[in-house]
Amino acid sequence: MFLADYITNFFKYGVLGNSLRIDASNACQLRCPTCHQVKEGEHSFRRMHLKFDDFRKFVDQHPTFKNIELADNGEIFLNPDLEKIFQYAFTKKIDLTARDGVNLNDASEMALEYMVKFKVRLVLVSIDGASPETYRIFRQKGDFQRVIENIEIINRYKRHYGSKFPVLVWQFIVFGHNEHEIPLARSMAKKLNMRFFLKFNADPSYSPVKNKELVRKEMGYSSMTEYEDITKTVYAFSCHQLWRAPQIGPQGDLLGCCYNNRENAFGNVFELGLEKVLKSERFIYAKKMLLGQKNAREDIPCINCSVYKNMRARRINIMFAFFSLLRRLKNTHL
């Protein structure tokens, strides 16, 4: 179904499925070294949270969307309206996820309980290490033990409500400084009833992998050639969101994808309506640009994205990159 959905939405150009991405918060309390919020400075853009009233109005006006991803640029648990969002989505039969990751350092117990009680489907927890010492190297200002305690609280509520939701995933970004703890982290995830997911570092210049053969085996790639090849294409994957699940910012700005565009909106869906923005000339042009049907244009935010620049340099378009990636990507769909 996963592959069929993607193919269908690509060939039905401009036709969405039933999924959207609405960032619950673009604020974050950690200071991870490669994060754009750290690189660009704390005051480079406004910290915002998705307001419950905006969420309620939007889902009421768009009843066909039954899958909404809440995580993107920040930490969703910093949103003071999160409990109400969980509850209302449940009453509207909307499946919520946080596949793009949470750091789970600061979460009220009510938010953790409501996440279970109202059946948030999947939550990916970013834990790049199996010890406090290793974890804090990248997740600066983070508390490893507090994250583990919050996971245990979630598991306690899952037992209390007799629920398998949310499915919890331990995401481990592989660096040179933490690669030795992959086996221990995998074991800890199993004990905590979590899936385990290894992720490539988006910025290979930061703490690059030292033992590539070890990482290749842990990631399950059959050869070093396959491992090296996948690292070159994996981040082109986010472009598909313009077709299948467009990214919306906390205040309703249609940003397109979750990867690189944070402020250059195609329009505000809370003010103008989703359909009008999706049918706008700039958004349609952006998709054709990614497909290689139109030349690059300065007012399209994709022009400044490293993924698009890489595709242009290699003379490929998103359709080619997408299907090339699907052929080789293993065990990364959560």
Side-chain angles (χ1 to χ4, degrees), residues 81-115:
D81 286 346
L82 195 61
E83 294 94 337
K84 290 189 287 187
I85 290 171
F86 286 161
Q87 185 172 9
Y88 194 71
F90 180 77
T91 66
K92 304 297 285 189
K93 296 182 171 56
I94 295 171
D95 290 340
L96 297 179
T97 57
R99 295 174 186 270
D100 264 11
V102 301
N103 64 57
L104 209 60
N105 273 263
D106 298 282
S108 69
E109 184 154 343
M110 180 179 286
L112 299 179
E113 180 183 2
Y114 274 33
M115 187 167 58

Side-chain angles (χ1 to χ4, degrees), residues 3 13 31 69 74 88 104 148 160 174 203 215 231 307:
L3 179 57
Y13 173 69
R31 289 296 175 263
E69 166 67 24
Y88 194 71
L104 209 60
I148 300 301
H160 174 76
V174 181
D203 182 358
V215 174
T231 62
V307 172

Side-chain angles (χ1 to χ4, degrees), residues 74-291:
E75 173 65 2
I76 71 170
F77 289 100
L78 298 181
N79 186 326
D81 286 346
L82 195 61
E83 294 94 337
K84 290 189 287 187
I85 290 171
F86 286 161
Q87 185 172 9
Y88 194 71
F90 180 77
T91 66
K92 304 297 285 189
K93 296 182 171 56
I94 295 171
D95 290 340
L96 297 179
T97 57
R99 295 174 186 270
D100 264 11
V102 301
N103 64 57
L104 209 60
N105 273 263
D106 298 282
S108 69
E109 184 154 343
M110 180 179 286
L112 299 179
E113 180 183 2
Y114 274 33
M115 187 167 58
V116 177
K117 183 177 181 179
F118 298 114
K119 293 183 169 57
V120 174
R121 310 304 282 187
L122 183 143
V123 175
L124 186 150
V125 188
S126 299
I127 315 175
D128 315 308
S131 65
E133 295 76 19
T134 301
Y135 172 81
R136 70 168 69 103
I137 293 174
F138 184 69
R139 299 288 165 182
Q140 294 179 14
K141 294 192 175 182
D143 186 327
F144 177 81
Q145 194 55 45
R146 187 186 302 156
V147 175
I148 300 301
E149 290 170 359
N150 283 334
I151 292 168
E152 290 171 340
I153 290 172
I154 294 169
N155 284 332
R156 171 161 55 84
Y157 279 116
K158 288 171 73 170
R159 291 190 295 270
H160 174 76
Y161 287 104
S163 177
K164 64 179 180 180
F165 298 113
V167 173
L168 295 174
V169 181
W170 181 315
Q171 176 182 269
F172 189 110
I173 299 178
V174 181
F175 299 106
H177 66 259
N178 67 8
E179 60 189 27
H180 64 287
E181 289 192 345
I182 293 175
L184 177 57
R186 192 189 299 275
S187 176
M188 292 177 68
K190 185 176 181 179
K191 291 178 181 177
L192 290 166
N193 194 29
M194 302 176 75
R195 298 181 188 179
F196 189 70
F197 173 55
L198 290 172
K199 182 179 180 180
F200 289 105
N201 175 13
D203 182 358
S205 66
Y206 175 81
S207 189
V209 167
K210 301 172 184 176
N211 190 338
K212 291 185 178 181
E213 182 61 20
L214 168 68
V215 174
R216 177 195 69 78
K217 289 180 179 178
E218 290 288 352
M219 285 190 159
Y221 293 109
S222 60
S223 67
M224 186 56 67
T225 299
E226 184 182 26
Y227 166 80
E228 295 282 4
D229 195 32
I230 199 68
T231 62
K232 297 176 183 177
T233 56
V234 68
Y235 290 102
F237 204 41
S238 57
C239 300
H240 73 89
Q241 292 165 7
L242 275 74
W243 284 262
R244 187 174 185 270
Q247 180 69 48
I248 298 170
Q251 291 196 326
D253 291 331
L254 182 68
L255 302 173
C257 82
C258 71
Y259 184 67
N260 200 44
N261 184 23
R262 293 180 291 276
E263 293 186 311
N264 191 354
F266 292 96
N268 190 289
V269 303
F270 293 165
E271 297 173 0
L272 302 174
L274 178 62
E275 184 176 2
K276 184 174 182 178
V277 182
L278 291 176
K279 290 182 177 180
S280 67
E281 188 274 338
R282 285 180 68 235
F283 192 70
I284 291 173
Y285 193 97
K287 290 193 287 186
K288 290 183 177 180
M289 200 172 89
L290 291 171
L291 289 169

